[in-house]
């Protein structure tokens, strides 16, 4: 996805072993459509060469405030004015300390001090040894930087270059890209608490078998991510899928429809929006066997009987909070044909104001989808696109309805 098309990012590197990750980050930013101007401190150039960063960004790297290539000789002013965001990755302990003090004895700190605070966001990706990160001086600096309007991104946890293990690693480039993308999303769901179900459910027949469906969970995970990017507090109740949890989202893993229902009931009291994107199995074996069912030699299959699962969405939509307007419910409909007619009928049956129709067999497991938004007035097609892009449009639609009192 060309999510950063038209954006100009100043990528600052201060000195730290994590500079080796900045090369990959630069590539990801340009692949996402951004133009990238790299600014490096002298210390950063000890860890990775400007040659590498120039080749990856396709622009000469700037390292000095005395760079005579700028016609007005003021790179510290020009660089900041042109940027849609300044991302410093890695941000060393020393760099952050300097920013806190407003010091400006090299180009990177000088540019940060000169940046128009209201217009150009400054994001810092700290990277340091765990003792340096935990030191009260660093933590004080982080708090002060945030108070001064910088966005201090989280640090990773794990093995460090020094051989120690703990907090302070720089996040991996794909995570930094995701956080930058999130930063650019409008915060239309700020203050909302969104509960999302996603994926299939698995209904056990015995300890080694069960019935499930082809839902990959991608659409529900995309909705959770888009809601989080839009500023909501998000809980994701996920059936059995192998997808990474979107950044900043609380995940509750479940297997069966009954477990999903219990997890939803435990969380929904706090929610202001409920999006049911899960493909819940309609039936479960009436009596799951505790032991593996063996062939008995008769050649006949075991006689399985099924019972219907509870309708999680319809149950929530019928609750007092949903009916009073305190909770906005959105359903999904996976259909194989006659999408509009089936989706509208399902919306009424489930008792939800908004239902998102899609053609199940065409979308299961895919990265792309097309949606049909159905409400009491009719329907609107959201054309084919990546699931994350569609999820962002759905989030914007939900936000519009919340702002209009659900109309
Ligand atoms: N849903 C639910 N609990 C169920 C079944 C469905 O919460 N037991 C929710 C889904 O998460 C989705 C919506 O209801 O938001 C519609 O799901 P879908 O599987 O398309 O519809 P069904 O109700 O199963 O109807 P049918 O199988 O007849 O199409």
């Amino acid at each position: 996805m060309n999510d950063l098309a038209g954006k100009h990012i100043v990528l600052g590197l201060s000195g730290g072993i994590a500079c080796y990750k900045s090369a990959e980050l630069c590539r990801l930013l340009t692949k996402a459509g951004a133009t990238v101007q790299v600014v490096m401190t002298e210390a950063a150039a000890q860890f990775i060469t400007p040659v590498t960063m120039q080749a990856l960004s396709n622009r000469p790297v700037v390292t000095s405030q005395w760079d005579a290539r700028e016609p007005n000789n003021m790179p510290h002013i020009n660089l900041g004015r042109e940027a849609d965001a300044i991302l410093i990755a890695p941000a060393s302990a020393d760099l952050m300390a300097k920013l806190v003090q407003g010091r400006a004895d090299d180009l990177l700190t000088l540019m940060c001090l000169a940046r128009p605070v209201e217009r150009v966001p400054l994001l810092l990706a700290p990277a340091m040894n765990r003792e340096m990160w935990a030191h009260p001086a660093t933590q004080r600096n982080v708090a002060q930087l945030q108070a001064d309007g910088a966005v201090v991104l989280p640090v990773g946890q794990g093995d460090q270059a020094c051989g120690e293990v703990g907090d302070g690693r720089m996040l991996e480039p794909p995570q930094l890209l995701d956080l930058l993308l999130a930063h650019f999303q409008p915060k239309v769901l700020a203050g909302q608490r969104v509960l999302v179900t996603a994926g299939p459910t698995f209904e056990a027949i015995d300890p080694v078998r069960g019935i499930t469906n082809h839902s990959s969970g991608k659409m529900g995970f995309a909705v959770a991510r888009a809601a989080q990017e839009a500023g909501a507090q998000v809980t994701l109740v996920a059936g059995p899928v192998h997808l990474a949890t979107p950044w900043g989202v609380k995940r509750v893993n479940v297997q069966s429809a009954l477990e999903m229902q219990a997890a939803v009931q435990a969380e929904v009291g706090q929610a202001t929006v409920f999006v049911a994107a899960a493909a819940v199995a309609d039936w479960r074996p009436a009596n799951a066997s505790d032991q593996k069912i063996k062939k008995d030699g008769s050649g006949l299959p075991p006689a399985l009987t099924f019972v219907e699962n509870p309708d999680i969405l319809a149950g929530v939509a019928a609750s007092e909070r949903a009916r009073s307007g305190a909770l906005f419910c959105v359903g999904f409909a996976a259909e194989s044909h006659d999408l509009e007619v089936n989706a509208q009928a399902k919306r009424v049956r489930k008792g939800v104001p908004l239902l998102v129709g899609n053609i199940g067999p065409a979308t299961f497991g895919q990265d792309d989808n097309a949606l049909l938004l159905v409400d009491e007035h009719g329907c609107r097609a959201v054309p084919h696109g990546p699931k994350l892009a569609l999820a962002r449009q759905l989030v914007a639609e939900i936000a519009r309805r919340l702002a209009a009192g659900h109309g």
Side-chain angles (χ1 to χ4, degrees):
M1 270 168 82
N2 256 9
D3 280 334
L4 290 178
K7 295 272 190 266
H8 182 64
I9 309 298
V10 169
L11 176 61
L13 278 66
S14 58
I17 190 67
C19 280
Y20 79 92
K21 297 183 187 174
S22 309
E24 180 65 16
L25 176 61
C26 182
R27 245 185 107 244
L28 292 179
L29 294 173
T30 54
K31 271 177 78 177
T35 50
V36 180
Q37 174 63 61
V38 176
V39 178
M40 293 172 72
T41 64
E42 224 177 283
Q46 296 288 325
F47 291 92
I48 186 169
T49 68
V51 175
T52 302
M53 298 308 293
Q54 173 170 349
L56 292 169
S57 62
N58 204 22
R59 281 169 176 248
V61 170
V62 200
T63 54
S64 162
Q65 65 266 45
W66 312 120
D67 194 326
R69 284 172 300 186
E70 293 289 315
N72 63 357
N73 230 312
M74 293 189 212
H76 66 291
I77 300 289
N78 306 343
L79 288 165
R81 299 295 181 278
E82 290 157 3
D84 289 297
I86 299 172
L87 169 61
I88 302 188
S92 66
D94 180 58
L95 178 104
M96 295 200 297
K98 279 165 130 182
L99 292 180
V100 164
Q101 292 178 4
R103 288 175 58 193
D105 59 359
D106 62 20
L107 177 60
L108 189 55
T109 49
L110 182 59
M111 178 191 71
C112 289
L113 192 64
R115 95 183 201 279
V117 178
E118 299 303 325
R119 195 170 58 74
V120 181
L122 172 63
L123 294 90
L124 304 169
M128 65 199 73
N129 163 272
R130 67 190 175 99
E131 300 289 2
M132 292 166 73
W133 175 249
H135 196 285
T138 303
Q139 290 306 312
R140 247 190 340 263
N141 289 341
V142 167
Q144 188 58 54
L145 283 163
Q146 284 166 333
D148 290 348
V151 178
V152 182
L153 301 174
V155 291
Q157 206 265 344
D159 291 337
Q160 303 205 309
C162 51
E164 297 180 4
V165 180
D167 288 343
R169 285 169 58 94
M170 188 168 86
L171 291 181
E172 297 306 316
Q175 293 175 315
L176 291 175
L177 174 67
D178 284 355
L179 289 172
L180 183 65
L181 290 173
H183 185 80
F184 282 123
Q185 297 307 313
K187 304 299 169 211
V188 289
L189 288 185
Q192 302 291 337
R193 298 170 78 112
V194 178
L195 177 63
V196 182
T197 64
T201 62
F202 180 89
E203 311 297 330
I205 293 172
D206 67 18
V208 298
R209 310 180 181 91
I211 56 171
T212 185
N213 59 60
H214 284 308
S215 166
S216 64
K218 285 181 181 173
M219 192 64 220
F221 274 59
V223 170
R225 174 173 167 181
Q228 198 278 339
E229 288 176 345
Q233 225 174 302
V234 182
T235 300
L236 174 62
V237 177
V241 291
H242 297 283
L243 293 176
T245 310
W247 189 265
V249 167
K250 175 181 157 191
R251 176 174 182 169
V252 182
N253 284 327
V254 298
Q255 292 279 322
S256 66
L258 290 180
E259 283 175 24
M260 185 171 276
Q261 184 190 39
V264 165
Q265 281 171 350
E267 299 284 343
V268 76
Q270 316 291 322
T272 55
V273 178
F274 177 52
V275 182
V280 184
D282 290 321
W283 304 280
R284 66 179 183 278
N287 295 302
S289 169
D290 290 343
Q291 297 183 346
K292 184 181 175 192
I293 302 171
K294 308 291 265 181
K295 292 192 287 287
D296 63 6
S298 69
L300 294 172
L304 293 178
T305 50
F306 292 88
V307 289
E308 199 171 299
N309 273 323
D311 191 318
I312 302 169
L313 175 60
V316 170
S319 69
E320 180 50 39
R321 289 188 67 241
R323 283 188 292 121
S324 71
L327 173 68
F328 185 67
C329 292
V330 182
F332 268 73
E335 304 295 339
S336 62
H337 58 284
D338 292 335
L339 183 55
E340 187 176 340
V341 173
N342 282 322
Q344 192 58 272
K346 194 169 281 183
R347 186 190 74 76
V348 173
R349 200 167 68 239
K350 304 264 173 183
V352 292
L354 180 64
L355 192 108
V356 185
N358 57 173
I359 298 292
T363 176
F364 278 178
Q366 303 297 312
D367 289 325
D368 287 17
N369 198 0
L371 306 178
L372 191 71
L373 303 185
V374 181
D375 68 7
E376 61 175 328
H377 304 296
C379 66
R380 175 168 81 83
V382 185
H384 192 262
K387 286 183 175 174
L388 180 58
L390 299 179
R392 286 181 180 145
Q393 292 179 66
L394 176 60
V395 157
E397 181 66 37
I398 293 171
R400 266 195 297 279
R401 286 163 191 265
L402 292 177
H406 299 194

